[in-house]
C-alpha cells in the first residue's frame, strides 16, 4: 500500500521530477511487483507445500523485506541525481534480499513431504535467482554506456527481469491461483504436465539474455520463440481451466475483476513478448546490435508494465486480499464483491487506454489503422496530440486509483461482516467462495482432482437463469461504458488538440474531409544517400494511398524517414530497406530524416497531393498553429554553481611524453553528459566525455589511432596533425565498425581532432572534439603545464521543436537551428563550464606555467587572457610570436585564435592569489569559458 500510494503521488507530480519515466516504471517493478512477489511467494509456498511456518518465524522474515525496501530506496536515490555507485549499492541490497528469499524457499521445499505443487515453488526459486542478474545489468546501465551496449543491456535487463523474474513467477503461480480464482478444479497430473513449460521458459530466458549481450539476433530470437512455445504449453492448460470455470454454474457468481484483470494482463504479456520477437528479428543486419537501440526497446515498457505487470498484480490482489482478510464466508464474499465493482468497465477502459498508447508509440500504418479501429473510426494517430494523451492518461490513472479506494471499502465491509452467520449451502450445489476462517487467515490449497459434474437439476437452472442474464446485462453495460469513456476522452482531447494546434499534423483537416479515397495505390522508390532523398518530390494524386519503397544507399550513414503525420520508417543501416505505408494522401506534407542534424543539412522531401484544393499544405498549417518555446531561446545555467555530483573534474595537465611509436584507441559512445550545472547534453563523444582525451606525440613519431564506433549512427575522425588522404582515413564508419588511422607527427603545435561526418557542426557541438599536442623541439621544461580546449554548445530548449529527439532522458539535443544562427548557449573549457571554478588549477609563486590553448569550435575562436598575468612567451600555430630571449622586453596580454587554431603561452606569477583565465570575448566568458588558477606562496 505504501508503494502504491507513493506511485500515485509520483504520477501526479512526475512532470517536475528528474528521470520521471524511469522512476514510475521502477516504483511499479521494484516497489510494487518485487515486494508483492516476496510476500505472496512466501504465502503461496507455505500453502502449496503444506509446511506452514510457526508465528515465531515471522519476525525473522521481516529483515528480508526491510533489506529489499532499503535496496529499492537506495537505487532510486542514486538514479535520480545520477550517482551510479549508489545505484550499484542499491542493486546489491535488492539482490541479497532476493537470494535470501530463494534460499528460504529452497529450505521449505526440502522440508516438505511429497509436495504435489513443488514445481510452483521451484519456479519462485529460479525466478528469484534471475533478479540479481537483472539488477547487475541495471546498475551497469546507470553508468550510461553508449550504443550498442546501452541497447544490449536494456534488452537483456527487460528479458531477465520481466520475462524471467516476473514471467516465471506469474506463470508458476497461475497454475494454482487461476483455478482458485475461478473456484474450479485442476487435475494434479495436468498441472504437473503443464509445469514442464516453466523449465523451458527459464532456459529460454538464459538463451535470450546471452543473445542480447553478444548481439546475436539468431540466438536471441530462437530463445524468444522457445520461450513463447513454453509459455503456450502452460497457457493451454490455463485456458481449459478458464473455459470450464466460466461455464460452471454456481449459486454465488464469480467475482469478475480478478479473472478479467489477470486474463487481460496475461494476454498483454504474450502479445508484448511476441512483439519483442518481431522487433528483434527485424533489427537483424550487418550491425544488428546497433540498430536495436535502447530507444527501440523502451517502446515495450508501456505494454509490459502497464498492460501486464499492473493488471496481473491488481487482479491477483483483488482476490487474495479479501480471502486473506478472512472473517467467514459472508465477509469474504462481500469483500470480493466490493473489489469487483465496475469490473468490466474498469478492465475495458484501462486496456483500451493502454492499447491506444502502444499503437500511437509505434506510429506505423498498421498500428494507425488498428488505432482507428479501436476508436470506432472516431480518431486517428495523427490527431492524437498532447491533450488527448493527458486525458487518456488521467482516465487510466483513475482506474488504477479505484483499486486503492475499493480496497479500503473492502476492508471496511469485511470488518463489518466478520463472524456473521451464513446460510448452509444447498446439497449438491457448489459452495460460496469462502476460503478462510476467522481463526486462520491462510491461502487455501488449490482445488485439485477430477472436475466436478456441472449438470445441476433443472430447478437450479431456472433459479440461476435470471441471475446469469442480469450478469450478462451488467457486463455488456460495463463494456459499453468503458468504451464510451475512452471514446469520450479521445474525442474531447482531439477537439482540444485541434483548437490548440498540438497535434502532430493539424492542417488540412477540413480539406481532407473533402477528398474521397480513390482506393488506388501510388508506389514510389526513394533512395537515401549523401544527405538527400532521391527523388525528394513525390507527386501523388489526392486520395491515393502512398507506398514508399525506401532504401538506404549511403555507404556509411544511418538514415530514416519521418512523415509529418508521424509515420516513420525506423532507422535503416547502410544497405537496409523497408516499405513505408504513408496512408491516404489528402494534402501536401513534408518528410525528413530525424537523425540529428540531417534535416538541417537539407535531408527533406515533399509530398505533393496533385488535384487537392489549394491551401491544404500541412506544413503551412503546422507553422501557423505552432506553439511552445522559441527554438532560439537561451538555455541558461548557474555559472556560480558546482558541477553535479557525478561529474569528474578533467585533469588539465599535459600528458607525459610518449615514444616514437604510439597506438591509442578512441571509442565513440553517445552519452548524457553534463556541460554546466543543471544542463545535460545528448552528447556524442570520444571516450565518454565531451572533449576527447588529450593526446601527445613527439616530433617525427608515428601515431596510430584505432577508431571504434559504438554509437547509433555513422562517425569518423579527422586528425589535423596528419597528412593523409581523407578518402579512407577520414571516412565515416557505421555503428559497430572500426578503422585504423595512422599519421606521422612532423609538425609542432596543438592540433585539433574531430568527427568529420556531416553535418560536422552538429557532431562537434555534441562533443566530438579533442586536442593532440606535439611540443616543438628543445622545448624547455616548466613547473606546470596545462591544456585548455574551448568548445561551444548549442542546445534545444525544453519543449521546443526537436526537443523530443533526445535519446537520453533529461538530456537536451544539439540544435542545428542555433548552430546556423550562431547562437551558442555555452562556451566551456574541457567540456564543463564551472569545473575549474570550483576546482581551480594550481601553481606557486615563481613557477613558470605553460598553458596550451585550442579553439575547438565548431565556429568560434578565443582571445585567451589571464587576469593579473602577462605572457612572456607566445607560441601560435607552429611559430613563436614572443620569447623572453628576444631582448625586446615585450609581453603579451592575449593569445588570439580562430576556430581550429591553437598554441601556448607561458607566464610566471609573482604574487599569491586567485587568477582567472578567460576568453576575453566576454560574452563567451559569461557563457562558461573561464578557469581559476590558485597561486600559493
Amino acid at each position: 500500500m505504501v508503494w502504491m500510494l507513493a506511485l500515485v503521488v509520483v504520477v501526479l507530480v512526475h512532470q517536475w521530477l528528474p528521470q520521471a519515466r524511469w522512476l514510475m516504471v521502477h516504483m511499479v517493478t521494484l516497489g510494487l511487483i518485487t515486494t508483492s512477489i516476496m510476500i505472496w511467494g512466501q504465502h503461496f509456498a507455505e500453502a502449496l507445500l503444506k509446511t506452514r511456518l510457526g508465528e515465531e518465524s515471522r519476525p525473522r522474515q521481516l529483515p528480508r523485506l526491510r533489506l529489499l525496501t532499503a535496496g529499492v530506496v537506495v537505487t532510486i536515490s542514486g538514479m535520480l541525481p545520477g550517482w551510479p555507485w549508489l545505484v550499484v549499492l542499491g542493486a546489491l541490497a535488492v539482490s541479497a534480499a532476493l537470494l535470501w528469499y530463494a534460499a528460504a524457499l529452497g529450505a521449505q521445499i526440502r522440508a516438505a513431504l511429497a509436495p504435489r505443487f513443488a514445481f510452483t515453488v521451484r519456479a519462485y526459486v529460479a525466478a528469484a535467482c534471475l533478479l540479481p542478474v537483472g539488477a547487475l545489468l541495471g546498475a551497469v546501465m546507470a553508468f550510461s554506456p553508449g550504443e550498442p551496449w546501452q541497447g544490449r543491456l536494456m534488452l537483456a535487463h527487460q528479458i531477465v527481469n520481466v520475462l524471467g523474474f516476473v514471467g516465471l513467477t506469474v506463470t508458476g503461480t497461475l497454475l494454482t491461483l487461476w483455478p482458485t480464482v475461478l473456484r474450479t478444479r485442476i487435475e494434479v497430473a495436468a498441472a504437473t504436465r503443464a509445469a514442464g513449460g516453466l523449465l523451458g521458459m527459464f532456459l529460454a530466458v538464459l538463451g535470450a539474455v546471452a543473445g542480447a549481450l553478444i548481439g546475436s539476433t539468431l540466438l536471441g530470437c530462437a530463445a524468444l520463440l522457445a520461450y513463447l512455445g513454453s509459455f503456450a504449453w502452460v497457457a493451454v492448460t490455463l485456458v481449459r481451466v478458464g473455459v470450464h470455470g466460466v461455464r460452471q454454474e454456481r449459486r454465488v457468481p464469480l467475482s469478475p475483476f480478478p479473472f478479467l484483470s489477470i486474463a487481460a494482463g496475461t494476454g498483454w504479456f504474450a502479445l508484448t513478448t511476441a512483439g519483442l520477437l518481431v522487433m528483434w528479428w527485424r533489427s537483424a543486419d550487418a550491425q544488428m546490435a546497433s540498430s536495436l537501440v535502447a530507444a527501440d526497446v523502451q517502446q515495450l515498457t508501456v505494454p509490459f508494465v502497464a498492460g501486464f505487470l499492473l493488471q496481473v498484480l491488481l487482479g491477483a490482489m483483488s482476490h487474495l486480499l479479501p480471502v486473506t482478510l478472512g472473517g467467514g464466508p459472508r465477509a469474504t464474499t462481500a469483500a470480493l464483491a466490493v473489489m469487483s465493482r465496475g469490473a468490466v468497465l474498469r478492465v475495458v477502459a484501462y486496456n483500451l487506454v493502454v492499447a491506444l498508447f502502444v499503437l500511437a508509440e509505434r506510429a506505423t500504418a498498421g498500428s494507425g489503422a488498428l488505432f482507428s479501429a479501436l476508436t470506432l473510426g472516431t480518431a486517428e494517430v495523427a490527431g492524437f496530440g498532447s491533450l488527448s494523451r493527458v486525458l487518456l492518461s488521467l482516465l487510466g490513472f483513475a482506474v488504477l486509483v479505484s483499486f486503492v479506494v475499493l480496497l479500503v471499502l473492502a476492508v471496511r465491509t469485511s470488518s463489518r461482516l466478520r463472524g456473521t452467520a451464513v446460510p448452509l449451502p444447498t446439497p449438491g450445489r457448489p459452495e460460496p467462495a469462502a476460503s478462510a476462517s476467522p481463526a486462520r487467515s491462510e491461502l487455501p490449497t488449490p482445488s485439485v482432482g477430477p472436475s466436478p459434474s456441472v449438470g445441476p437439476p433443472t430447478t437450479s437452472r431456472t433459479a440461476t437463469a435470471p441471475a446469469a442474464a442480469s450478469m450478462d446485462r451488467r457486463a455488456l453495460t460495463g463494456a459499453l461504458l468503458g468504451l464510451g469513456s475512452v471514446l469520450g476522452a479521445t474525442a474531447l482531447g482531439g477537439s482540444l488538440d485541434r483548437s490548440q494546434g498540438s497535434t502532430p499534423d493539424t492542417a488540412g483537416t477540413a480539406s481532407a474531409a473533402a477528398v474521397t479515397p480513390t482506393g488506388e495505390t501510388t508506389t514510389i522508390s526513394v533512395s537515401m544517400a549523401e544527405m538527400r532523398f532521391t527523388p525528394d518530390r513525390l507527386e501523388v494524386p489526392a486520395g491515393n494511398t502512398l507506398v514508399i519503397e525506401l532504401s538506404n544507399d549511403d555507404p556509411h550513414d544511418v538514415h530514416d524517414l519521418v512523415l509529418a503525420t508521424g509515420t516513420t520508417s525506423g532507422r535503416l543501416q547502410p544497405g537496409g530497406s523497408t516499405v513505408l505505408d504513408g496512408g491516404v494522401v489528402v494534402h501536401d506534407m513534408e518528410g525528413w530524416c530525424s537523425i540529428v542534424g540531417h534535416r538541417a543539412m537539407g535531408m527533406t522531401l515533399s509530398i505533393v497531393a496533385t488535384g487537392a484544393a489549394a491551401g491544404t499544405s500541412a506544413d503551412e498549417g503546422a507553422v501557423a498553429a505552432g506553439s511552445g518555446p522559441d527554438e532560439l531561446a537561451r538555455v541558461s545555467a548557474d555559472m556560480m554553481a558546482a558541477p553535479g555530483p557525478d561529474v569528474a573534474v578533467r585533469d588539465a595537465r599535459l600528458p607525459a611524453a610518449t615514444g616514437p611509436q604510439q597506438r591509442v584507441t578512441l571509442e565513440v559512445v553517445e552519452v548524457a553528459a553534463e556541460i554546466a550545472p543543471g544542463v545535460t547534453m545528448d552528447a556524442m563523444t570520444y571516450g565518454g566525455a565531451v572533449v576527447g582525451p588529450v593526446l601527445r606525440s613527439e616530433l617525427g613519431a608515428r601515431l596510430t589511432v584505432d577508431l571504434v564506433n559504438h554509437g547509433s549512427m555513422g562517425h569518423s575522425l579527422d586528425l589535423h596533425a596528419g597528412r593523409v588522404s581523407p578518402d579512407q582515413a577520414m571516412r565515416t564508419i557505421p555503428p559497430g565498425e572500426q578503422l585504423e588511422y595512422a599519421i606521422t607527427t612532423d609538425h609542432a603545435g596543438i592540433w585539433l581532432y574531430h568527427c568529420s561526418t556531416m553535418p560536422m557542426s552538429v557532431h562537434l557541438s555534441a562533443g566530438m572534439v579533442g586536442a593532440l599536442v606535439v611540443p616543438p623541439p628543445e622545448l624547455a621544461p616548466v613547473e606546470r603545464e596545462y591544456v585548455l580546449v574551448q568548445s561551444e554548445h548549442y542546445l534545444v530548449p525544453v519543449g521546443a521543436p526537436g526537443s523530443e529527439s533526445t535519446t537520453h532522458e533529461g538530456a537536451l539535443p544539439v540544435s542545428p537551428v542555433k548552430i546556423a544562427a550562431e547562437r551558442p548557449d555555452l562556451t566551456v573549457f574541457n567540456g564543463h563550464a564551472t569545473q575549474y571554478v570550483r576546482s581551480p588549477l594550481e601553481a606557486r609563486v615563481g613557477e613558470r606555467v605553460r598553458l596550451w590553448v585550442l579553439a575547438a569550435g565548431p565556429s568560434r575562436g578565443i582571445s585567451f587572457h589571464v587576469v593579473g598575468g602577462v605572457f612572456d612567451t607566445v607560441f601560435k600555430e607552429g611559430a613563436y610570436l614572443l620569447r623572453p630571449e628576444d631582448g625586446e622586453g615585450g609581453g603579451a596580454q592575449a593569445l588570439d585564435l580562430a576556430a581550429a587554431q591553437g598554441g601556448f603561452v607561458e607566464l610566471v606569477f609573482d604574487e599569491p592569489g586567485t587568477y582567472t583565465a578567460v576568453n576575453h570575448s566576454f560574452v563567451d566568458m559569461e557563457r562558461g569559458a573561464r578557469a581559476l588558477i590558485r597561486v600559493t606562496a
Side-chain angles (χ1 to χ4, degrees), residues 577-665:
S577 62
T578 190
V579 176
L580 179 66
D581 187 343
V584 176
V585 176
V586 296
H587 52 65
D588 297 351
M589 61 181 169
E590 186 185 14
W592 59 87
C593 179
S594 69
I595 305 298
V596 61
H598 289 198
R599 187 178 185 182
M601 291 288 294
M603 197 167 181
T604 62
L605 60 76
S606 59
I607 299 172
V608 180
T610 59
T616 62
S617 168
D619 303 325
E620 293 174 4
V623 172
S627 60
D630 182 1
E631 292 179 76
L632 295 177
R634 171 83 188 279
V635 175
S636 59
D638 184 355
M639 294 304 175
M640 300 305 295
D646 60 333
V647 175
V649 176
R650 289 281 292 270
D651 187 351
R653 292 176 297 178
L654 178 69
T658 57
Q661 297 284 340
Q662 183 184 183
R663 193 177 195 106
V664 297
T665 299

Side-chain angles (χ1 to χ4, degrees), residues 562-851:
V562 177
L563 302 183
T565 58
T567 303
T568 178
S569 66
R571 292 185 174 184
L572 294 181
Q573 298 289 336
S577 62
T578 190
V579 176
L580 179 66
D581 187 343
V584 176
V585 176
V586 296
H587 52 65
D588 297 351
M589 61 181 169
E590 186 185 14
W592 59 87
C593 179
S594 69
I595 305 298
V596 61
H598 289 198
R599 187 178 185 182
M601 291 288 294
M603 197 167 181
T604 62
L605 60 76
S606 59
I607 299 172
V608 180
T610 59
T616 62
S617 168
D619 303 325
E620 293 174 4
V623 172
S627 60
D630 182 1
E631 292 179 76
L632 295 177
R634 171 83 188 279
V635 175
S636 59
D638 184 355
M639 294 304 175
M640 300 305 295
D646 60 333
V647 175
V649 176
R650 289 281 292 270
D651 187 351
R653 292 176 297 178
L654 178 69
T658 57
Q661 297 284 340
Q662 183 184 183
R663 193 177 195 106
V664 297
T665 299
L666 291 181
E667 296 187 351
V668 176
V669 290
E670 296 161 7
V671 300
E674 181 181 290
I675 56 175
V679 179
T680 301
M681 179 175 67
D682 227 349
M684 308 173 191
T685 70
Y686 295 114
V690 173
V691 180
V694 174
L695 307 179
R696 176 170 177 171
S697 183
E698 309 307 315
L699 272 176
R702 189 68 173 171
L703 172 64
T704 302
V705 177
D706 293 310
L707 180 69
V708 182
N709 186 1
H710 293 311
S712 62
M713 65 188 74
H715 291 291
S716 58
L717 177 65
D718 179 359
L719 287 168
H720 281 200
R723 294 181 294 175
V724 296
S725 169
D727 295 349
Q728 289 299 315
M730 301 180 198
R731 73 182 187 275
T732 296
I733 58 172
E737 291 192 5
Q738 66 181 59
L739 64 77
E740 180 183 285
Y741 191 152
I743 64 171
T744 301
T745 51
D746 292 326
H747 301 280
I750 177 170
W751 301 90
L752 175 66
Y753 69 83
H754 64 89
C755 181
S756 59
T757 299
M758 300 296 285
M760 280 188 272
S761 59
V762 170
H763 288 243
L764 270 66
S765 177
M768 298 194 77
V769 296
L772 166 61
V773 175
V774 183
E778 300 179 359
L779 183 63
V782 294
E783 285 79 9
R784 311 272 179 170
E785 199 162 8
Y786 296 111
V787 181
L788 296 175
V789 179
Q790 177 186 281
S791 57
E792 75 257 19
H793 303 283
Y794 309 77
L795 304 172
V796 179
V798 175
S803 61
E804 71 283 352
S805 65
T806 181
T807 56
H808 296 89
E809 186 173 353
L812 300 178
V814 174
S815 171
V817 175
K818 285 185 178 178
I819 292 173
E822 298 190 46
R823 298 273 292 272
D825 296 294
L826 295 161
T827 309
V828 305
F829 287 148
N830 291 357
H832 196 282
T834 65
Q835 60 180 331
Y836 301 129
V837 175
R838 290 293 178 146
S839 301
L841 308 178
E842 301 286 344
R844 293 181 180 275
V845 171
E847 289 182 340
R848 175 163 291 275
V849 178
R850 179 179 297 131
L851 300 169

Side-chain angles (χ1 to χ4, degrees), residues 153-168:
L153 291 169
M154 174 72 76
L155 180 57
H157 180 70
Q158 287 205 357
I159 289 172
V160 75
N161 285 349
V162 180
L163 302 189
F165 174 58
V166 181
L168 271 174

Side-chain angles (χ1 to χ4, degrees), residues 480 739 874 926:
L480 292 176
L739 64 77
V874 177
E926 290 166 356

